[in-house]
Amino acid sequence: MYPQQPSNDPNQGGQYQGGQYPGDQYPPGRYPQDPAAHQGGHPGAPPGPGDGTRMPGTAITVRVLMFVGGACGLLLGGLMWIAAVLAASGGQVGEEMRRALQDTGLSLSGSEAVTFFGLMGAIPFVYGVVSIVLASLMGRRSPVILWSVVAFQGLAALILVFNLFSGGFAAVIPLLFTIAMIVLMLLGVTRDYYSRPAAAH
């Protein structure tokens, strides 16, 4: 029996007990692995979802709802204005529309029907424009954007409550969505996101 000679294989030789090399001496081409590289902690790693640099899900939900609500407002306002044009027309369509208004208790002339439908169409149309503009600006991290959205939704909620007590029970569903958006914007994670300035790159 001869004593085992050290191997010349750089992948096997030169190892000490435990398979570790003393100090900073490593064979060519073999370096210690950095645990941080496997955990996303190495420099230049992309920011994670919990580091405050990404828009939280609450704000994303409000943004999507505002885009959808804004599009519906523009559509409803456009339909109201089309109805105003039809009511003002002197043909059979205008007469039928004015007769339908009389059946609902609104005896309006052609000019009065234009004014009525024009105002009724302006409210959802303006809502749609402002909603889409604010939703587009929600990507900017600023307390002004946060409180602008809250104030806008609060005003919309007041109008919907007024419509609800005026007999417009169809306002219940948009009122619930409006209240939900206000709550989501006032949650701590949303306020923190808009209260902290974006990190400089």
Side-chain angles (χ1 to χ4, degrees), residues 14 27 42 46 61 67 90 152 180:
H42 59 311
T61 302
F67 273 122
F152 171 71

Side-chain angles (χ1 to χ4, degrees), residues 9-16 19-27 30:
D9 188 349
N11 294 325
Q12 298 180 358
Q15 293 185 348
Y16 287 77
Q20 302 297 325
Y21 294 90
D24 296 333
Q25 299 178 6
Y26 299 94
R30 298 190 64 186

